[in-house]
């Protein structure tokens, strides 16, 4: 799809929203990380990305929204916070918390969203397997990231019941995310 005159592409991604208690625990983990190395992610920016679409024409929002609406009957995945995880593993840029998806519902939801977006012509799935994680801090410029991750988190269990299409706008103090469309999952 081509852009109209003066129309700029939007950075878009699809994510699951997190319950307030889970956001608070994750924000605390990010804030507890070494401040000389890590810049914590703002609590209202914490989310679980299912598909990063990159730069897309604003006109694609309707097609993406239809893919999300098709997931409305899908059961909300039951998840739990896991261990701290540095990504990428060799030269970390982010401190994350892995998620446990014991029933496999998150993997099925992510695959359904991914294939629906691909069929709509708005997404090319990544070749590597999906790794469920939530970024809680980003490495500061010129900081040397550690080789091991530490985060002391309670293994909170939760249900992620809302699927949202976000627009990401880059700013010097961190990206700002604006919800464009949201769909509630079943249960």
């Amino acid at each position: 799809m081509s852009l109209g005159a003066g129309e700029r592409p939007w950075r878009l991604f699809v994510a699951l929203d997190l319950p307030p208690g889970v956001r608070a625990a994750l924000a605390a983990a990010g804030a507890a990380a070494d401040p000389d190395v890590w810049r914590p992610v703002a609590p209202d920016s914490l989310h679980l990305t299912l598909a990063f679409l990159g730069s897309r024409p604003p006109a694609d929002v309707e097609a993406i929204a239809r893919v999300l609406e098709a997931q409305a009957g899908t059961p909300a995945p039951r998840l739990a916070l896991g261990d701290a995880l540095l990504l990428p593993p060799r030269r970390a840029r982010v401190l994350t918390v892995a998620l446990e998806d014991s029933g496999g519902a998150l993997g099925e939801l992510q695959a359904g969203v991914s294939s629906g977006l691909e069929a709509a012509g708005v997404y090319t799935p990544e070749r590597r397997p999906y790794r469920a994680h939530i970024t809680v801090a980003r490495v500061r410029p010129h900081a040397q990231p550690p080789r091991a991750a530490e985060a002391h988190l309670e293994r909170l269990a939760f249900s992620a019941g809302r699927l949202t299409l976000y627009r990401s706008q880059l700013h010097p103090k961190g990206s700002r995310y604006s919800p464009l469309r949201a769909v509630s999952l079943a249960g």
Side-chain angles (χ1 to χ4, degrees):
M1 182 172 281
S2 63
L3 295 173
E7 191 175 21
R8 294 177 160 246
W10 290 357
R11 292 180 79 232
L12 301 174
F13 66 93
V14 175
L16 280 173
D17 295 327
L18 304 169
V22 173
R23 277 185 194 226
L26 292 166
D34 182 348
D36 292 331
V37 176
W38 301 107
R39 180 178 47 87
V41 172
D44 61 340
S45 294
L46 294 166
H47 62 272
L48 172 57
T49 302
L50 298 182
F52 180 74
L53 294 102
S55 295
R56 303 295 316 166
D60 283 358
V61 168
E62 292 307 317
I64 298 164
R66 286 191 293 276
V67 172
L68 270 60
E69 289 162 5
Q71 298 297 324
T74 303
R78 294 283 306 152
L79 307 169
L81 297 181
D83 294 327
L85 177 68
L86 295 174
L87 293 176
R90 290 192 178 171
R91 181 95 170 122
R93 292 189 312 269
V94 294
L95 173 62
T96 73
V97 173
L99 292 175
E100 297 172 3
D101 177 25
S102 62
L106 176 61
E108 290 176 18
L109 175 63
Q110 192 279 333
V113 168
S114 179
S115 64
L117 293 168
E118 182 181 29
V122 297
Y123 179 64
T124 301
E126 294 189 27
R127 293 179 193 207
R128 61 184 172 202
Y130 178 69
R131 177 183 270 177
H133 67 277
I134 299 167
T135 299
V136 298
R138 298 184 183 284
V139 73
R140 291 189 180 280
H142 311 296
Q144 183 67 33
R147 293 186 181 267
E150 285 188 36
H152 304 287
L153 283 162
E154 181 181 342
R155 301 249 189 235
L156 291 174
F158 64 97
S159 180
R162 194 170 87 162
L163 187 60
T164 303
L165 169 63
Y166 283 96
R167 179 180 181 193
S168 172
Q169 294 173 284
L170 301 177
H171 291 276
K173 293 186 178 181
S175 296
R176 295 182 186 160
Y177 306 135
S178 304
L180 300 175
R181 300 290 171 87
V183 172
S184 294
L185 301 175

